Amino acid sequence: MLRGDTTLLEQVFREAPEEASILVLSSEDFENALADERLAERISGQFASLGVEDVHYAVVTRKPDDYFFSIFAEMSKHKVVLDLLSVFDEVMRTGKLTVPMDPEAYKGVPGGWQFIFDYSRYIEQFRTIVKKPVHVFPFEDSPDFPGSDILKLVGGDAGQAIDVSMPEPADLEKYRNTRLTKKDIIRKYTRTLVSNLDYTDEQIRTIRKEVARKVNNEELEADIRKALLARFP
């Protein structure tokens, strides 16, 4: 959908059971539509072109400090190197973080990933464009699991079973979104930094120490968390 292709959406409509009255679409990549007005217009236009009028959008928000360090850790899994202070500066200035991605390596969103911190600004921008209800659910406030309150939009609750009719892959553990330790983050960032260059063992140790110096700096982390919470209450 973000690339302008409605083929999959049309297929879902065709194959949905006759008794189905609600279709739920969910993807982390949809966050880009909050930041990019063109994507918001594209998604809204796709629903209109298919004759779908009763559309509700749901946004799950996160505390800015937790989200910031979660992104910093997560990107180390994707061979992306983020400088902690540069990322902090961008977020404070623009209310979002843009992580460019190689379109050949990543087929998801045009231009890469967008991560929103200034929710009041970008959700209002999105609401103005789509002209449909936009429901906001704080990640931390969901009583059962993150985003479980979204089920209220479809008349359900967290205690109801949802049959997605999809077998679990044999290598499921590979895809679980597990929390990385600081040691993991240091190792992954260091590996990415030295992967394409001919460094000596001594140089690699120096790079690892520099990465560790920022990742393990508890005073710096505390200052960043305090500033983010003040900037995006």
Side-chain angles (χ1 to χ4, degrees):
M1 291 180 66
L2 293 174
R3 291 184 176 274
D5 185 0
T6 61
T7 303
L8 183 58
L9 183 60
E10 293 173 20
Q11 179 184 344
V12 171
F13 279 122
R14 287 196 307 269
E15 298 180 358
E18 291 185 6
E19 65 272 19
S21 60
I22 297 172
L23 170 65
V24 178
L25 302 176
S26 175
S27 172
E28 292 180 343
D29 290 340
F30 284 145
E31 185 171 5
N32 278 45
L34 294 179
D36 191 327
E37 295 172 283
R38 296 168 301 174
L39 294 182
E41 292 169 352
R42 179 176 294 169
I43 291 175
S44 179
Q46 287 171 346
F47 284 126
S49 69
L50 295 174
V52 181
E53 297 181 358
D54 188 11
V55 179
H56 288 246
Y57 296 92
V59 179
V60 178
T61 64
R62 290 199 64 178
K63 288 177 58 181
D65 57 331
D66 290 341
Y67 197 28
F68 181 90
F69 286 100
S70 174
I71 293 168
F72 183 75
E74 180 67 19
M75 288 298 101
S76 71
K77 297 180 183 179
H78 301 283
K79 298 182 179 180
V80 175
V81 177
L82 299 180
D83 177 76
L84 199 63
L85 292 178
S86 297
V87 170
F88 172 70
D89 176 68
E90 179 180 344
V91 168
M92 293 293 283
R93 286 187 297 102
T94 68
K96 64 179 181 178
L97 171 63
T98 301
V99 180
M101 296 295 290
D102 181 352
E104 292 303 315
Y106 181 66
K107 302 294 184 180
V109 179
W113 286 308
Q114 302 262 14
F115 301 99
I116 301 301
F117 288 82
D118 191 346
Y119 290 118
S120 59
R121 170 186 173 184
Y122 289 105
I123 289 176
E124 186 56 37
Q125 171 182 284
F126 181 81
R127 182 182 283 116
T128 300
I129 293 171
V130 300
K131 297 179 174 60
K132 297 290 184 180
V134 179
H135 308 268
V136 180
F137 301 98
F139 179 95
E140 295 79 11
D141 291 350
S142 296
D144 300 285
F145 54 85
S148 62
D149 283 344
I150 292 177
L151 290 175
K152 295 177 182 178
L153 289 180
V154 296
D157 59 59
Q160 290 182 306
I162 299 177
D163 179 12
V164 295
S165 301
M166 182 182 297
E168 292 186 348
D171 54 349
L172 179 63
E173 288 301 320
K174 175 182 176 182
Y175 299 98
R176 290 195 186 280
N177 191 9
T178 55
R179 184 181 297 274
L180 294 176
T181 66
K182 289 189 175 182
K183 185 177 180 180
D184 292 329
I185 297 170
I186 294 167
R187 176 174 52 82
K188 288 179 180 293
Y189 270 128
T190 302
R191 182 183 298 170
T192 299
L193 284 167
V194 304
S195 61
N196 296 321
L197 295 172
D198 186 18
Y199 286 105
T200 66
D201 290 344
E202 180 62 30
Q203 289 172 326
I204 292 174
R205 283 193 290 271
T206 300
I207 292 171
R208 184 183 294 113
K209 287 180 180 178
E210 179 60 22
V211 173
R213 185 179 66 81
K214 289 186 178 180
V215 173
N216 290 326
N217 190 330
E218 294 183 0
E219 183 177 354
L220 175 61
E221 178 176 338
D223 288 343
I224 289 176
R225 286 182 179 275
K226 182 178 179 180
L228 287 170
L229 288 170
R231 174 75 171 80
F232 309 110

